[in-house]
C-alpha cells in the first residue's frame, strides 16, 4: 500500500492518541470527516493499523520491574523451537520475545513486581525447555519508552 503525506500525518496522530474522534483527526490533517474516516478504514483493512489498544502504567498495575533476559541454546531443531516458543508464550510476564542474530539466540522482555516474581518466571522458563545459558539484566531506570514507530522511512 502506498502511503501519502496525509496518511502519514493520520498515523502520527493516531500513534499518539487513538481515542481521538475522527473529526479531530480530520481537522488536524486538513480533511473533512468522511474522507479521513475512509483513509483510516483503508489503513486498517490493509494492515498498516493492526490494532488499537490501551497502554497501561506499569507501576500502577504492579509490574514496574523490567528484566531483559538473554537466552542461548545449543539446540536449534524445529521441535525444540516450537516447545520453547510455546513455553515463552504461556508466560504472561513476557511482553516481548525475539529471535536474535549474534551471540544471543533469544531476547525476552519481562515485567514483574519484584525479584521474587521474576524468579518464579525464570523457573517456569527453564522448566519448559533445555537452555544453554540464561542471563538476566534488571533495568535500573526507564529512559525512553514509546510504542510509536518512526514514519520517516515510509516511501
Amino acid at each position: 500500500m502506498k502511503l501519502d503525506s496525509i496518511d502519514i500525518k493520520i498515523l502520527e496522530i493516531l500513534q499518539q492518541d487513538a481515542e481521538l474522534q475522527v473529526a479531530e483527526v480530520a481537522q488536524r490533517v486538513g480533511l473533512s470527516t468522511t474522507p479521513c474516516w475512509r483513509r483510516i478504514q483503508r489503513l486498517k483493512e490493509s494492515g498498516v493499523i493492526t490494532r488499537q489498544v490501551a497502554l497501561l502504567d506499569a507501576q500502577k498495575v504492579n509490574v514496574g520491574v523490567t528484566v531483559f533476559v538473554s537466552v542461548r541454546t545449543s539446540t536449534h531443531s524445529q521441535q525444540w523451537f516450537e516447545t520453547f516458543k510455546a513455553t515463552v508464550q504461556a508466560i504472561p510476564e513476557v511482553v516481548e520475545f525475539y529471535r536474535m542474530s549474534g551471540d544471543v539466540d533469544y531476547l525476552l522482555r519481562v515485567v514483574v513486581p519484584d525479584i521474587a516474581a521474576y524468579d518464579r518466571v525464570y523457573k517456569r522458563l527453564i522448566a519448559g525447555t533445555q537452555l544453554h545459558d540464561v542471563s538476566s539484566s534488571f533495568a535500573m531506570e526507564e529512559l525512553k519508552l514509546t510504542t510509536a514507530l518512526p514514519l520517516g522511512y515510509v516511501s
Side-chain angles (χ1 to χ4, degrees), residues 101-115:
S101 66
D103 294 335
V104 172
D105 295 310
Y106 300 93
L107 181 65
L108 291 69
R109 184 169 71 92
V110 176
V111 293
V112 290
D114 52 37
I115 293 174

Side-chain angles (χ1 to χ4, degrees), residues 3-12 29 39 154:
L3 301 177
D4 64 18
S5 62
I6 294 175
D7 293 327
I8 291 169
K9 286 178 188 175
I10 290 170
L11 292 171
E12 287 172 344
V29 300
R39 282 178 179 258
V154 176

Side-chain angles (χ1 to χ4, degrees), residues 20-59:
L20 287 176
Q21 297 294 318
V22 174
E24 174 68 21
V25 176
Q27 179 186 5
R28 291 186 189 186
V29 300
L31 289 176
S32 60
T33 303
T34 301
C36 184
W37 179 85
R38 283 192 196 115
R39 282 178 179 258
I40 293 169
Q41 293 311 304
R42 185 173 47 89
L43 291 165
K44 289 178 180 179
E45 290 165 5
S46 67
V48 174
I49 297 174
T50 59
R51 61 186 166 191
Q52 292 175 241
V53 300
L55 300 177
L56 308 181
D57 182 310
Q59 298 291 336

